[in-house]
Amino acid sequence: MKVIRLREGKERSLLRRHPWVFAGSVEKGKADLGETVRVESHDGRFLAWASFSPSSQIRVRAWSFDEAERIDAGFFQRRIAAAVAMRQRLAIQSNGVRLIHGEADGLPGLIVDRYEDILSVQFLSAGTERWKAQIADALLAETAALGCTRLYERSDSGVRQMEGLEPAKGWLRGGGDTTITLREHSIQLTVDVEEGHKTGYYLDQRENRALFARLVAQFGCQSVLNCYSYTGGFSVSALAGGATEVVSVDSSGPALARANAHVLLNGFDPAHHAALDADVNGTLRQMLKDGRQFDAIVLDPPKFAPSAAHADRASRAYKDINRLGLKLLKPGGLLLTFSCSGGIGAELFHKIVAGAGLDAQVDGYLLQRLEASPDHPTTLCFPEGEYLKGLVILKQG
Ligand code: SAH
């Protein structure tokens, strides 16, 4: 077993059970891509069993802080079983559930979403790549009782590059049709694990989509603008809440085609829905010029700030769309606004939206703060895992 020795003082994060060691903290030691290493403090004390990433800034990712633990197929089976059992306790009313959420489940770099009988998996770190076969077998063994029989790999994310890994995509176990029908709260949506974004769909917004349907009904919203709609989850939720004039805006044609199909699939009148293949920022400006107004608006943009280094530019982008959104709302209208940027904390996001309100000369009641669904958990030891934050704002006037 190769040993990675840390510089003096750099043992602190591992002692606090934080799973990452950055390149600059390593005193000496080398290993192959994804190889399991023993990490020691400068004076030779055991800190963790970990995987080694020779080219990544995150040089070491901890598997276990228990010296007696062995990193083998059994280890992955135990971690996966624990994560799946936790989701069972959450009793999520859907056949689309995030079963493994990386670091939060003690499996850095591994993302597993269940869509009906398919597991859609991202292997994003050198360590998960090294153990891919064992992880795939353990995943299917531990989810057999849920009815999962097939595993599709979606390791086509850009973050693999930083780990020195090539993109990979396709069936790892089983095969067949890549599209399933997802049920969440009162609606149904089709998900294609081959063509969809990320693993296929954005399960992290499940509870917020359900909340939106309730809010639309409660506040009697008729006209709804869903910005960055993807396949129309919030749009169909709005129709379920009783909206009669829903506009989905996205720059992805295939996602919008699916949004239109989802309106029909759920038995809603297609005349109540319009899909706009366009850039959101430009669309909001044009709508403002045209004097359009809405009872409710959703802003769920992609990650504007991939890291804290991009926070400034991202802040301006968030402020801009929120300013436009607040202006386009009728008095008494509802805004659901989100940021999924890890580099923008909840407090900063709140400040950005407050700044947008000032610029728009709009005040609003902050009805609720939102976060990712509980199957995308954050842990006490790894607060960086928190990424999705949202606000429900009721425009005054
Ligand atoms: N709210 C969605 C998820 C949104 S993901 C849901 O509940 O499923 C972000 C979406 O923004 C993606 O579908 C992407 O195609 C779209 N997008 C990215 N940049 C855009 C832009 N400038 N204008 C319009 N849409 C954009």
Side-chain angles (χ1 to χ4, degrees), residues 164-180:
L165 301 169
E166 294 292 321
K169 186 176 168 183
W171 287 111
L172 264 191
R173 300 285 187 275
D177 192 351
T178 53
T179 303
I180 62 95

Side-chain angles (χ1 to χ4, degrees), residues 197 201-202 209 228-230 234 250-252 278-280 300 302:
H197 293 180
Y201 192 54
Y202 297 94
R209 285 185 289 260
Y228 309 97
S229 65
Y230 188 46
F234 279 104
D250 203 282
S251 55
S252 158
D279 167 60
V280 162
D300 185 21

Side-chain angles (χ1 to χ4, degrees), residues 26-270:
V26 174
E27 167 91 52
K28 64 172 189 208
K30 271 203 187 86
D32 294 335
L33 191 71
E35 190 176 351
T36 303
V37 293
R38 177 188 168 94
V39 188
E40 293 182 351
S41 62
H42 73 103
D43 53 359
R45 277 178 298 151
F46 169 85
L47 294 171
W49 301 115
S51 69
F52 193 74
S53 297
S55 61
S56 172
Q57 272 310 301
I58 306 174
R59 194 55 50 92
V60 164
R61 288 177 173 80
W63 288 130
S64 171
F65 301 99
D66 176 1
E67 193 169 1
E69 190 147 38
R70 242 172 228 289
I71 309 307
D72 53 15
F75 164 80
F76 291 100
Q77 187 120 19
R78 289 192 298 280
R79 286 278 158 101
I80 289 165
V84 171
M86 184 270 194
R87 277 30 174 217
Q88 293 289 87
R89 298 184 70 199
L90 294 176
I92 290 162
Q93 299 303 305
S94 175
N95 58 348
V97 177
R98 173 149 299 186
L99 296 177
I100 313 277
H101 190 53
E103 278 75 357
D105 289 301
L107 294 165
L110 184 66
I111 300 293
V112 182
D113 286 338
R114 173 211 170 185
Y115 297 106
E116 181 64 13
D117 63 332
I118 303 177
L119 299 173
S120 184
V121 185
Q122 294 181 310
F123 298 87
L124 301 176
S125 60
T128 55
E129 179 72 19
R130 182 108 172 182
W131 291 96
K132 190 182 274 182
Q134 292 84 350
I135 290 171
D137 290 339
L139 280 170
L140 285 173
E142 293 304 323
T143 57
L146 301 175
C148 299
T149 54
R150 308 185 280 158
L151 193 152
Y152 195 87
E153 177 174 15
R154 281 300 303 267
S155 306
D156 50 340
S157 160
V159 302
R160 295 242 316 175
Q161 241 173 31
M162 290 185 267
E163 290 283 302
L165 301 169
E166 294 292 321
K169 186 176 168 183
W171 287 111
L172 264 191
R173 300 285 187 275
D177 192 351
T178 53
T179 303
I180 62 95
T181 303
L182 182 82
R183 288 174 276 101
E184 64 171 34
H185 58 105
S186 64
I187 67 170
Q188 292 185 61
L189 300 159
T190 56
V191 175
D192 183 351
V193 296
E194 181 181 14
E195 292 302 328
H197 293 180
K198 309 276 172 80
T199 64
Y201 192 54
Y202 297 94
L203 295 173
D204 52 358
Q205 290 282 29
R206 181 196 313 107
E207 316 308 322
N208 298 328
R209 285 185 289 260
L211 171 72
F212 189 54
R214 293 197 297 275
L215 290 170
V216 164
Q218 183 187 335
F219 288 90
C221 303
Q222 294 297 307
S223 56
V224 172
L225 177 61
N226 180 13
C227 296
Y228 309 97
S229 65
Y230 188 46
T231 58
F234 279 104
S235 303
V236 178
S237 300
L239 292 167
T244 52
E245 199 190 313
V246 179
V247 183
S248 301
V249 188
D250 203 282
S251 55
S252 158
L256 288 172
R258 216 169 262 278
N260 277 326
H262 288 158
V263 172
L264 292 174
L265 175 68
N266 288 275
F268 296 116
D269 185 347

